[in-house]
Amino acid sequence: MSWTRGRRLGVDVGSVRVGVAVCDPDGILATPVETVQRTPRTDADLARIAALVEEYEAVGVVVGLPKTLRNESDTAAGLARDFGDRLAERIAPVSVEYHDERLTTVTATQALRASGVNAKSSRAVIDQAAAVAILQGWLDTRR
């Protein structure tokens, strides 16, 4: 796979919030952007992420695909894929890819806790950190 220079967004889809991260145009480092509230009835969440794609002039979006430890898809994976597919329709021709996100939220929570951040008061930060982990993992596999 050849590398196309440009920013990419990483998306961690949850049932309540969506964490969003972005990388630099050279694909070296992912950083947090914001946490978007889920609004399944109005699609305002999809509209906000589409606006971020435009704002950052993203050339692609990487959606975390939660799989079980046995590498199987479950309900959460179906919800993430549905979200990503609906986002892809909105932002075409910008591509949407899926990346295995096993344990990213756990890793993000542990890292924040280790740095002294209270998990309960920082759920939105955890979602952003998980999005960073998803995007950084995707970037690292491309090197």
Side-chain angles (χ1 to χ4, degrees):
M1 177 182 169
S2 65
W3 175 260
T4 301
R5 189 174 191 277
R7 293 179 180 267
R8 283 156 179 86
L9 291 185
V11 177
D12 176 47
V13 181
S15 59
V16 178
R17 293 172 301 277
V18 179
V20 183
V22 69
C23 71
D24 61 283
D26 293 318
I28 296 169
L29 184 64
T31 56
V33 172
E34 71 179 68
T35 301
V36 178
Q37 284 299 124
R38 284 297 308 270
T39 56
R41 291 190 181 116
T42 65
D43 285 348
D45 48 359
L46 289 168
R48 178 61 188 144
I49 294 170
L52 290 170
V53 168
E54 189 173 321
E55 178 182 333
Y56 285 96
E57 299 177 346
V59 299
V61 175
V62 179
V63 176
L65 191 61
K67 293 187 175 183
T68 67
L69 293 177
R70 295 189 329 200
N71 198 29
E72 297 170 349
S73 295
D74 60 5
T75 305
L79 293 173
R81 192 169 288 281
D82 177 62
F83 186 90
D85 291 348
R86 290 186 301 133
L87 180 62
E89 290 175 15
R90 248 181 213 260
I91 64 172
V94 175
S95 67
V96 172
E97 292 184 51
Y98 298 92
H99 184 71
D100 185 356
E101 69 156 72
R102 272 179 279 190
L103 303 177
T104 55
T105 301
V106 172
T107 303
T109 302
Q110 289 173 342
L112 288 169
R113 198 171 288 147
S115 66
V117 176
N118 179 335
K120 185 176 181 184
S121 65
S122 62
R123 288 189 177 125
V125 175
I126 290 169
D127 295 326
Q128 290 176 34
V132 167
I134 290 164
L135 183 55
Q136 192 66 54
W138 183 89
L139 292 169
D140 291 347
T141 62
R142 299 303 179 270
R143 287 200 182 101

